[in-house]
Amino acid sequence: MNDRSHLHPLFLGPYGENNDLFEKLLLEFLRDHVYWRRNFHPEDPPAIPLLAMNSPGYRDFVAHMSRELHALSAALKRSVPFSSPRYIGHMTSDLLLPALVAQIMTLPYNPNNVVDEAAPVTLDMEISVGLQLARMLGYATDESRPDCAFGHLTSGGTVANYEALNVQRALRHYPLAVAAAARNRDVGIRSRQGDVRALDAWTLLNFSNAETIALHAAVLEAASKMPEREGRAWLDAVESERVEHLGLVEFARRHPEWREPVVLLPATAHYSWQKAMKLTGLGTAQFRKVPERGMRMDSAALDALLSELAAERQPVLAIVAVLGTTEFGTIDPIHEIIACRERWQQRGLHAPVHIDAAWGGYLAALFRESDGSFADHDSVRREFRHFPSKRVHASLEAVRHADSITVDPHKLGFVPFGAGAIVFRDQRMLDLVAQDADYVFDPERDAPDYRAKFRQLGRYILEGSKSGAAAAGVYVAQRVVPPHREGLGRIIRETIRAAEHFFDHMPVIARELEGCARLSVPVEPDSNLVCVAINPAGNRSLRAANRFAREVFRAMRVDPAVPVQTREFFGSYTTLSRRGMGEEEFLRVLETLGISEVDADGIFILRHTLMNPWLLDNTGDVNYIERYGEFLARTIREVAERQGR
Ligand SMILES: *Cc1c(COP(=O)(O)O)cnc(C)c1O
């Protein structure tokens, strides 16, 4: 067995094994906080009199508060035991001790990462976290480079995805606004394609992000060469033509050749994309679903779709690729998607690529060496039984070509909730969504350097007040367990090994169940999620199989009416939909289960997120995956018996 002792100090542990360490750290740092308060002008008299605690009102309040806190503590015992290796449901697990302690330690200081004036310490940490993620993903991270990457934390992957769409919307429409203002005021603005006044709408809508960034610089430069009042008027004219000012309806009226740009994504995309399209006003009608093969985007189908869109002169706001789908952990062929984008860019259709790697982004830590280089396939392959396929390796290598990437520290980063992130390949992409970044309008003022700029974080992002404690948690976690092969990679390696063990063990369970039920893994895993489909022996109806699988799931679901302590295991479920998978794949899965009567449009399957670090043999006597296998087999037999099969 592998030695896992390096994992021992990293987590509080399912049994609270590290509670002495945890308590010691918390006590020390909470006391430290109190001393810090006290030593800020110790000459001031106490605001709360020392004898206040003797008053009846004070004592009543404390009694009331204690009662409520005890009630909360009691209620929380009904929480889902994410830290236990018996929890293999959703994308949560035990938390990195450094993240947990850092976050708790920071809470009483209450920093607000909206601006450095409210967070002189933790905002800088957030900027560093963004750069560290950028480095893990392979982006440029030299702060002195104008095209340095920039990443920041969000409340979660959902908001990160909103932001990606918002920034792409700004970039996509800016050249049209500049051209309109330039024509109105007769200002010559050069771009790679020529003077913008002479460009048609299709060309303007297909500026690459780099070209739009250069155009923005040209607009500012033109302003700086004009007398001050004229310069301001010119910049105001550009702003007043932008879609962010006019709204989509008026923008469309002024540009009859304009069409709503579409967003291309696979059917496996997370539902936050639906919300994002509603929120940005683009509308979900602007989705174009890219067909899939085995729950991964089909790049040949993407190419065909882009060809159609180019022929219709239909602009594309973004291609969304998924790195680690929420349901199956599958990985879209990023390298092929990027290649496809490059091909069409040369033919005049620009399609930015955003990668939704909320789940799978940290898989990059398995490939990134501590010196920043990217590990070759063989050296990673040696650490596993199946992982990574050539396609997965090539996909991870190619993420650095994407325009932006969502990655959630509160998922595979093992930190507490409230920490998603988005990373942009080029920090200047954010200039077009900046809110009153006054230097932009003031040719007299030099642009601030990278850190100074983003210390005004709230001007550049969707959110306002935000938790500095969350930033401190991610920062300390990534200092102690950096996102590369020798750091976080060592934890994520365990999750993949657990998934491989699970995948290899399922046929054993399937054999044990012969004559009772058929078991199959319908989607070959790319990472650390494994799904299992079930059909009772002799059954040919999909609807009956779903009813059966649902009943099996009842034994492992979170049910407010059932005390969590009485559950043996927790899992989750999903549905393989006929529309999402395509007819051929759908029928193939049904065939492996022996189902011929297609009387439903989806297959109910069990879904397992194998991210708990203690799933495999750790102390020498328990292997939770094999235990789960026994539990699953037993549950299936019980359900079969109850249903009289
Ligand atoms: C989890 C997830 C999201 C949403 O992230 P939240 O942090 O839950 O807001 C988006 N996309 C993918 C692929 C995800 O797995």
Side-chain angles (χ1 to χ4, degrees):
M1 267 282 119
N2 291 294
D3 178 23
R4 294 184 176 82
S5 56
H6 60 276
L7 296 179
H8 293 165
L10 297 184
F11 298 90
L12 178 53
Y15 199 72
E17 292 87 334
N18 283 320
N19 70 324
D20 284 349
L21 176 61
F22 184 57
E23 269 182 26
K24 181 174 164 288
L25 292 171
L26 282 186
L27 189 64
E28 177 175 348
F29 294 117
L30 291 178
R31 280 190 177 149
D32 216 27
H33 172 77
V34 172
Y35 300 150
W36 174 76
R37 287 191 176 204
R38 219 167 266 170
N39 287 314
F40 180 73
H41 291 289
E43 73 277 17
D44 289 350
I48 303 168
L50 288 176
L51 293 177
M53 63 198 54
N54 292 333
S55 87
Y58 186 107
R59 288 201 305 266
D60 283 353
F61 178 83
V62 171
H64 184 200
M65 177 171 70
S66 303
R67 221 165 36 242
E68 288 304 324
L69 287 173
H70 278 285
L72 171 65
S73 183
L76 287 172
K77 304 298 176 291
R78 298 199 305 271
S79 299
V80 186
F82 295 135
S83 55
S84 167
R86 290 170 179 272
Y87 183 84
I88 49 176
H90 293 283
M91 299 168 149
T92 344
S93 169
D94 203 355
L95 301 168
L96 281 173
L97 200 56
L100 192 57
V101 173
Q103 187 159 349
I104 296 173
M105 187 203 303
T106 310
L107 276 175
Y109 296 87
N110 200 28
N112 180 354
N113 273 20
V114 67
V115 62
D116 65 344
E117 271 182 46
V121 179
T122 51
L123 187 42
D124 228 41
M125 291 179 172
E126 179 160 349
I127 297 171
S128 299
V129 162
L131 284 166
Q132 218 169 0
L133 291 174
R135 181 179 150 94
M136 170 183 80
L137 297 163
Y139 283 157
T141 54
D142 175 353
E143 293 169 43
S144 63
R145 274 174 66 161
D147 65 344
C148 180
F150 173 71
H152 68 87
L153 298 176
T154 59
S155 65
T158 299
V159 171
N161 287 344
Y162 295 169
E163 190 167 320
L165 212 56
N166 192 49
V167 167
Q168 285 305 340
R169 192 179 67 151
L171 284 159
R172 196 96 322 237
H173 291 97
Y174 184 71
L176 273 177
V178 174
R183 286 180 200 124
N184 288 342
R185 299 182 68 88
D186 201 25
V187 175
I189 297 290
R190 282 222 313 276
S191 71
R192 201 168 68 82
Q193 290 86 341
D195 188 319
V196 289
R197 287 172 299 184
L199 300 179
D200 64 12
W202 175 248
T203 307
L204 290 163
L205 279 164
N206 282 289
F207 270 42
S208 71
N209 286 345
E211 287 163 354
T212 302
I213 288 167
L215 180 67
H216 182 52
V219 165
L220 295 182
E221 198 196 323
S224 71
K225 291 197 175 130
M226 296 173 189
E228 189 178 332
R229 269 188 50 195
E230 200 185 321
R232 271 178 187 282
W234 156 242
L235 293 179
D236 284 345
V238 172
E239 283 305 301
S240 70
E241 289 291 341
R242 293 187 55 187
V243 68
E244 286 80 4
H245 175 73
L246 297 172
L248 281 168
V249 174
E250 177 59 18
F251 191 86
R253 202 186 61 75
R254 293 197 189 184
H255 302 275
E257 331 79 345
W258 173 85
R259 295 171 67 173
E260 284 103 337
V262 293
V263 172
L264 277 49
L265 40 62
T268 44
H270 189 263
Y271 70 102
S272 53
W273 290 102
Q274 308 264 351
K275 298 198 247 175
M277 292 299 269
K278 294 176 186 172
L279 190 69
T280 48
L282 291 161
T284 49
Q286 268 51 256
F287 275 141
R288 293 291 181 276
K289 291 271 163 74
V290 185
E292 306 194 337
R293 283 164 150 223
M295 297 305 171
R296 290 129 183 136
M297 192 190 281
D298 178 347
S299 58
L302 173 68
D303 196 67
L305 184 54
L306 287 172
S307 161
E308 260 172 53
L309 297 172
E312 294 166 18
R313 300 212 140 199
Q314 167 61 62
V316 176
L317 194 80
I319 301 169
V320 176
V322 187
L323 198 160
T325 56
T326 318
E327 310 292 9
F328 315 103
T330 44
I331 294 171
D332 286 341
I334 310 289
H335 53 304
E336 293 171 12
I337 294 166
I338 296 285
C340 191
R341 180 273 287 280
E342 305 290 325
R343 264 198 308 283
W344 282 100
Q345 185 159 340
Q346 279 162 24
R347 298 178 209 164
L349 174 74
H350 178 61
V353 173
H354 173 78
I355 300 179
D356 186 353
W359 171 249
Y362 278 102
L363 293 174
L366 291 171
F367 299 84
R368 189 64 56 194
E369 304 283 6
S370 52
D371 69 3
S373 61
F374 193 79
D376 62 35
H377 184 251
D378 286 345
S379 90
V380 182
R381 181 72 190 75
R382 235 175 277 137
E383 301 172 325
F384 304 97
R385 289 192 215 167
H386 312 289
F387 182 87
S389 67
K390 281 251 152 71
R391 177 177 47 76
V392 164
H393 181 265
S395 290
L396 267 300
E397 204 275 328
V399 295
R400 65 201 168 90
H401 299 294
D403 297 271
S404 50
I405 304 173
T406 293
V407 49
D408 271 359
H410 67 204
K411 285 183 173 168
L412 266 186
F414 296 87
V415 310
F417 282 119
I422 181 156
V423 189
F424 295 94
R425 185 173 53 182
D426 183 328
Q427 51 98 11
R428 293 169 299 181
M429 290 165 74
L430 285 156
D431 291 344
L432 288 178
V433 293
Q435 189 70 27
D436 302 328
D438 44 12
Y439 67 91
V440 170
F441 293 95
D442 190 350
E444 299 282 293
R445 276 185 58 191
D446 280 342
D449 72 20
Y450 184 88
R451 293 255 166 184
K453 175 177 173 181
F454 290 115
R455 283 188 190 118
Q456 309 286 307
L457 188 60
R459 288 188 169 174
Y460 293 92
I461 69 173
L462 289 182
E463 286 160 281
S465 292
K466 62 202 290 288
S467 165
V474 184
Y475 177 79
V476 174
Q478 296 199 164
R479 291 285 295 180
V480 193
V481 190
H484 57 56
R485 283 181 91 183
E486 299 312 315
L488 189 68
R490 307 221 282 184
I491 303 175
I492 297 186
R493 199 169 297 146
E494 290 305 312
T495 74
I496 303 275
R497 284 183 179 150
E500 293 190 330
H501 188 69
F502 190 103
F503 181 74
D504 290 342
H505 190 60
M506 271 306 116
V508 178
I509 304 300
R511 272 196 298 282
E512 255 171 49
L513 282 168
E514 254 166 45
C516 174
R518 275 214 222 185
L519 237 58
S520 85
V521 174
V523 180
E524 194 178 310
D526 274 340
S527 56
N528 38 21
L529 265 73
V530 189
C531 292
V532 172
I534 311 168
N535 185 33
N539 171 58
R540 306 218 142 262
S541 147
L542 176 54
R543 195 186 300 190
N546 285 346
R547 211 179 307 126
F548 186 89
R550 220 178 272 277
E551 194 57 28
V552 171
F553 175 66
R554 278 170 63 89
M556 58 182 92
R557 76 181 173 124
V558 176
D559 179 349
V562 178
V564 290
Q565 289 77 3
T566 64
R567 280 278 191 247
E568 273 185 70
F569 279 93
F570 287 97
S572 65
Y573 73 92
T574 186
T575 305
L576 287 172
S577 88
R578 189 172 192 163
R579 263 208 5 222
M581 313 186 77
E583 192 70 9
E584 196 183 322
E585 281 276 313
F586 191 69
L587 294 178
R588 182 191 60 77
V589 173
L590 291 183
E591 201 186 315
T592 62
L593 291 168
I595 294 172
S596 52
E597 210 177 306
V598 191
D599 46 4
D601 286 324
I603 312 171
F604 183 97
I605 56 177
L606 302 178
R607 164 179 174 266
H608 310 91
T609 306
L610 300 157
M611 72 179 288
N612 189 286
W614 320 113
L615 285 167
L616 293 177
D617 181 19
N618 181 47
T619 55
D621 49 20
V622 193
N623 176 321
Y624 284 93
I625 287 171
E626 285 167 26
R627 274 202 180 183
Y628 174 75
E630 287 161 25
F631 161 78
L632 181 63
R634 183 162 22 94
T635 307
I636 289 174
R637 286 189 194 285
E638 281 165 12
V639 171
E641 204 162 301
R642 271 209 303 281
Q643 293 193 352
R645 291 183 181 273

